């Protein structure tokens, strides 16, 4: 069974631009969560989607948004990029939400 | 405020030596407890978890962790470290009875493990 797939692996963007990250969960998993990892703040929860609905949200500004499609694939969007948005963005999936979470290898976003 | 603390930012051990990584939490009630490992350029892999019951938990790759309620700790141990164990280790918690719509992991800042040959 394929694991969680995140694309692209690396992204370089300029301040003010927007970016979209993609996550394909493990087959059959309906819950997708997103986490941001930075050296300063560590790993922080962004949001969780289940059956195309956002069920849970972390403390991030509205520039961070996401969505989930009917096949459970999820996208995360960051608008008006700031230098501080440079991070590793990790996606995790689970059957219904909850443990165990299966993480992808992440998308490394660099904002210049 | 609820928090997870990993006091050691960086630990260096020799191959074959024993290892203990510390994790302390501050929560109103005992949460669910997890240890994850992250190798360079990789995502997070679950090593083990504690929900209830036996306070000594066995995980993958020869790791174990002990839950101590009195100390609010969940320390990770391995009797003999291998060079391939070099990675970053994260302790994480979720409030008990979380699931579905209110499930989100709170992570410690991580401990970077270096293994000397």
């Amino acid at each position: 069974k394929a694991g969680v797939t995140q694309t692209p692996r690396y992204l370089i963007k300029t301040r003010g631009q927007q970016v979209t990250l993609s996550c394909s969960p493990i087959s059959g998993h309906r819950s997708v969560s997103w986490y941001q990892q930075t050296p300063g703040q560590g790993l922080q929860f962004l949001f969780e989607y289940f059956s195309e609905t956002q069920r849970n949200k972390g403390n991030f500004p509205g520039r961070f948004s996401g969505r989930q499609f009917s096949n459970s694939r999820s996208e995360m969007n960051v608008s008006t990029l700031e230098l501080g948005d440079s991070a590793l963005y990790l996606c995790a999936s689970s059957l219904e939400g909850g443990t165990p979470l299966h993480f992808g290898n992440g998308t490394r976003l660099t904002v210049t | 405020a609820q928090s997870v603390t990993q006091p050691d930012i960086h630990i260096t051990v020799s191959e074959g030596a024993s290892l203990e990584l510390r994790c302390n939490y501050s929560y109103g009630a005992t949460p669910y407890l997890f240890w994850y490992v992250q190798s360079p350029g990789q995502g997070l892999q679950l090593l083990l978890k504690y929900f209830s019951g036996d306070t000594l938990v066995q995980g993958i790759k020869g790791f174990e962790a002990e839950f101590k309620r009195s100390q609010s700790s969940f320390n990770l141990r391995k009797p003999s470290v291998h060079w391939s164990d070099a990675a970053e280790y994260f302790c994480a918690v979720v409030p008990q009875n979380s699931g579905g719509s209110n499930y989100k992991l709170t992570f410690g800042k991580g401990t970077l493990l270096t293994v000397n040959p």
Side-chain angles (χ1 to χ4, degrees), chain B residues 26-83:
Chain B
S26 175
Y27 267 73
T30 301
Y32 297 149
L33 298 154
F34 306 84
W35 275 99
Y36 283 85
V37 61
Q38 185 178 35
S39 298
Q42 302 295 311
L44 298 168
Q45 183 182 23
L46 179 65
L47 287 174
L48 46 77
K49 59 184 184 285
Y50 174 78
F51 287 176
S52 65
D54 192 347
T55 57
L56 187 61
V57 181
Q58 301 298 318
I60 63 171
K61 304 186 179 188
F63 285 93
E64 65 179 25
E66 185 172 14
F67 167 63
K68 291 186 178 180
R69 185 188 307 275
S70 61
Q71 298 177 20
S72 296
S73 69
F74 188 55
N75 293 349
L76 182 70
R77 302 194 294 241
K78 187 168 186 179
S80 178
V81 171
H82 188 262
W83 64 265

Side-chain angles (χ1 to χ4, degrees), chain A residues 11-28:
Chain A
L11 269 176
I12 300 175
K13 291 287 187 179
T14 304
R15 268 181 303 175
Q17 289 185 316
Q18 75 167 20
V19 66
T20 299
L21 284 55
S22 179
C23 172
S24 294
I26 291 172
S27 178

Side-chain angles (χ1 to χ4, degrees), chain A residues 9 33 35 37 40-43 45 48 55-58 88 90 96-101 103-106, chain B residues 32 34 36 38 41-46 49 51 88 90 98-109:
Chain A
R9 286 298 308 274
S33 302
Y35 288 80
Q37 184 177 24
Q41 299 300 314
L43 282 150
F45 173 79
E48 186 252 359
R55 289 198 304 188
N56 201 354
K57 191 176 188 305
L88 180 67
L90 291 166
E96 299 284 334
T99 189
L101 285 181
F103 282 85
N105 287 334
Chain B
Y32 297 149
F34 306 84
Y36 283 85
Q38 185 178 35
Q42 302 295 311
L44 298 168
Q45 183 182 23
L46 179 65
K49 59 184 184 285
F51 287 176
E88 191 156 21
F90 293 92
S98 291
S101 61
N102 63 347
Y103 188 94
K104 60 179 180 180
L105 288 167
T106 298
F107 287 89
K109 290 295 180 69

Side-chain angles (χ1 to χ4, degrees), chain A residues 34-111:
Chain A
W34 289 88
Y35 288 80
Q36 182 197 62
Q37 184 177 24
T38 60
Q41 299 300 314
L43 282 150
Q44 293 184 288
F45 173 79
L46 280 156
F47 31 64
E48 186 252 359
Y49 285 86
F50 181 81
S51 292
E52 303 178 62
T53 301
Q54 186 183 89
R55 289 198 304 188
N56 201 354
K57 191 176 188 305
N59 294 326
F60 279 81
R63 300 185 297 106
F64 292 81
S65 63
R67 59 178 175 169
Q68 187 179 34
F69 302 94
S70 58
N71 61 358
S72 293
R73 188 178 71 86
S74 177
E75 288 183 346
M76 191 192 99
N77 185 275
V78 188
S79 62
T80 319
L81 284 165
E82 300 176 359
L83 295 179
D85 297 333
S86 294
L88 180 67
Y89 290 89
L90 291 166
C91 167
S93 75
S94 65
L95 277 171
E96 299 284 334
T99 189
L101 285 181
H102 299 265
F103 282 85
N105 287 334
T107 294
R108 172 75 62 185
L109 172 65
T110 301
V111 182

